[in-house]
């Protein structure tokens, strides 16, 4: 029997938060049972294996957290690039673990095809958004967009290792400089 949508949604949110906070491999099923509030049986009925739960959690993260980054570029232009950097920098708060999708796809899930596909799609979306926003305003919009994606990835890696915002400021400055118009 499938869980009620609201209960499944809550459980997925809690699983996503747990994976994001401590990592996928560091989250055993008993911990998932605890954080989701589901019984082991209900958890297995909804997600027959941990891989499905992880994929659903990554997809939820994309649709609930990363969507804001992508929405910025619905109206491309220099202001969108500025909003991108402002939003990314504002997301780095104390105890931030870095981007769950980027950290997972480049780390624990580097051999997982679906995770890599989600990761690649997100990076491509950001790269295209920045490139389109810089066209006509920058001498090398494609190169600058890839530099921005590289900085975004570096920020995630460094923040995930606990680097304080003050030490990330020069990294953000480099990203902003690469995409200056």
């Amino acid at each position: 029997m499938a869980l009620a949508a609201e209960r499944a949604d809550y459980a997925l949110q809690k699983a996503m938060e747990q994976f994001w906070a401590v990592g996928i491999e560091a989250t055993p099923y008993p911990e998932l049972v605890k954080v989701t509030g589901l019984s082991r049986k209900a958890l297995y009925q909804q997600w027959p294996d941990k891989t499905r739960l992880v994929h659903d959690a990554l997809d939820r993260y994309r649709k609930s957290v990363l969507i804001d980054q992508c929405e910025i570029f619905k109206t491309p232009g220099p202001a969108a690039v500025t909003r991108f950097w402002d939003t990314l920098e504002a997301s780095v708060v104390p105890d931030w673990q870095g981007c769950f999708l980027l950290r997972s796809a480049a780390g624990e899930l580097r051999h997982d095809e679906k995770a890599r596909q989600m990761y690649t799609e997100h990076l491509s979306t950001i790269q295209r958004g920045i490139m389109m926003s810089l066209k006509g305003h920058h001498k090398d919009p494609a190169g600058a967009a890839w530099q921005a994606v590289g900085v975004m990835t570096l920020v995630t890696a460094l923040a995930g290792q606990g680097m304080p915002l003050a030490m990330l400021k020069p990294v953000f400055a480099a990203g902003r400089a690469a995409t200056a118009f």
Side-chain angles (χ1 to χ4, degrees):
M1 180 166 69
L3 289 175
E6 189 174 295
R7 192 162 178 219
D9 188 58
Y10 174 83
L12 183 57
Q13 176 69 28
K14 292 301 181 183
M16 180 194 79
E17 291 169 3
Q18 180 69 18
F19 291 146
W20 190 6
V22 301
I24 295 159
E25 292 173 3
T27 304
Y29 252 90
E31 187 63 23
L32 288 169
V33 167
K34 180 180 171 186
V35 299
T36 63
L38 298 177
S39 69
R40 190 174 186 89
K41 180 180 178 184
L43 190 62
Y44 273 114
Q45 284 177 333
Q46 187 69 28
W47 294 281
D49 59 62
K50 191 173 174 183
T51 300
R52 286 188 195 179
L53 177 56
V54 167
H55 289 162
D56 285 355
L58 287 170
D59 193 49
R60 179 182 185 85
Y61 180 80
R62 284 178 35 189
K63 292 175 180 174
S64 64
V65 176
L66 295 182
I67 191 70
D68 292 341
Q69 282 183 349
C70 299
E71 293 290 317
I72 288 170
F73 298 109
K74 292 259 182 193
T75 306
V81 176
T82 299
R83 279 193 313 278
F84 167 77
W85 289 117
D86 291 347
T87 301
L88 185 60
E89 196 163 348
S91 71
V92 180
V93 295
D95 298 322
W96 183 59
Q97 298 296 313
C99 172
F100 173 45
L101 175 61
L102 300 181
R103 196 182 76 223
S104 298
E108 293 176 291
L109 299 177
R110 66 188 165 280
H111 301 297
D112 183 297
E113 186 59 37
K114 188 166 183 165
R116 282 198 322 252
Q117 179 185 358
M118 286 188 229
Y119 174 71
T120 301
E121 286 172 8
H122 180 67
L123 292 182
S124 295
T125 298
I126 298 300
Q127 189 274 338
R128 279 190 311 273
I130 292 172
M131 183 178 70
M132 296 307 293
S133 293
L134 292 177
K135 276 195 174 179
H137 304 282
H138 194 282
K139 66 180 180 176
D140 182 12
W146 280 117
Q147 286 177 327
V149 166
V151 167
M152 180 181 75
T153 303
L154 178 60
V155 163
T156 288
L158 295 173
Q161 295 174 7
M163 184 169 284
L165 178 58
M167 294 182 73
L168 291 173
K169 291 273 186 196
V171 179
F172 281 113
R176 288 179 189 269
T179 57
F181 33 89

